[in-house]
Amino acid sequence: MFNVIKVKDYEEASDKAFEVMKDFIKPGKVLGLATGSTPIGLYQRMVKDHEENGTSYKEIKTFNLDEYVGLPISHPESYYAFMHRNLFDHIDIPEENTHVPSGLGEDLEAQAAAYDAMIAKDPVDIQLLGIGSDGHIAFNEPGTAFDSPTHVTDLAESTIKDNCRFFDNDISKVPTQAVTQGIGTIMKAKNILLIATGANKAQAVKDMINGPVDEACPASILQKHDNVTIIVDEAAASLL
Ligand code: GLP
């Protein structure tokens, strides 16, 4: 069942997300983290809280959702670099407690299986999610099996176009593949916090909440999860 929280705009969505997340920023907790524009406001609030209130991440572990295939971690648009720039470099989390799937290596599928094995040992207490304009979660594009483990995937044309803005608006620079936690992996998280803002998410939000549970909308599987909080701003909620 969904707990849908409607807010005015991106800033309010980030405030609300921080309120939810705060309960999980405690020793021993495992956070599932996400990239994209959506969680940046939340990460800013986590950094501010760490700086002003001394909230510590020393005994917290994190697992990220996904990574582009073929981008070196030094590339500013790698999700590894994104996480360091927006969060890890500004809090006291030990590097060895953070995990971002690797999009580099000889055997990406074997690495993906090893990533799932690590998560199985340290189950995620709360998984943060954004949503793609096509209803994808992490990089699980429409048609992905609901029980999929972490795997290598091709990106949908619409996702490549959406993410073009991060690559000098040059479509030829956008990676075409990614390693992503599978929907099966994501569904094992004990709690899920999904944030959706902006009019370009309105259709995906509608399909996720009101549509059938169908692989055509990957996020619709969340209807089958017991503890999902969805924070939507007015624009993203406009078709509900
Ligand atoms: C990206 C990521 C997702 C993210 C989504 C939305 O491609 N792989 O994890 O939720 O697309 O991104 P944004 O928050 O920038 O709209």
Side-chain angles (χ1 to χ4, degrees), residues 10 33-40 65-68 79 82 128-134 136-141 155 159-160 162-163 165-166 178 180 195 197 200-201:
Y10 183 84
L33 300 180
T35 52
S37 317
T38 304
I40 290 178
L65 287 170
D66 47 12
E67 179 61 282
Y68 290 115
Y79 286 168
F82 174 101
L128 176 63
L129 294 175
I131 185 168
S133 60
D134 62 357
H136 75 231
I137 47 175
F139 270 131
N140 293 284
E141 298 287 15
L155 301 185
T159 301
I160 293 173
D162 282 350
N163 289 357
R165 66 191 195 278
F166 300 116
T180 182
I195 312 169
T197 61
N200 69 322
K201 303 294 173 68

Side-chain angles (χ1 to χ4, degrees), residues 41-60:
L42 166 61
Y43 294 158
Q44 287 167 346
R45 284 152 180 78
M46 289 164 71
V47 169
K48 188 162 178 270
D49 169 63
H50 167 71
E51 288 170 354
E52 291 179 356
N53 306 316
T55 303
S56 178
Y57 291 75
K58 280 192 179 140
E59 291 173 53
I60 283 178

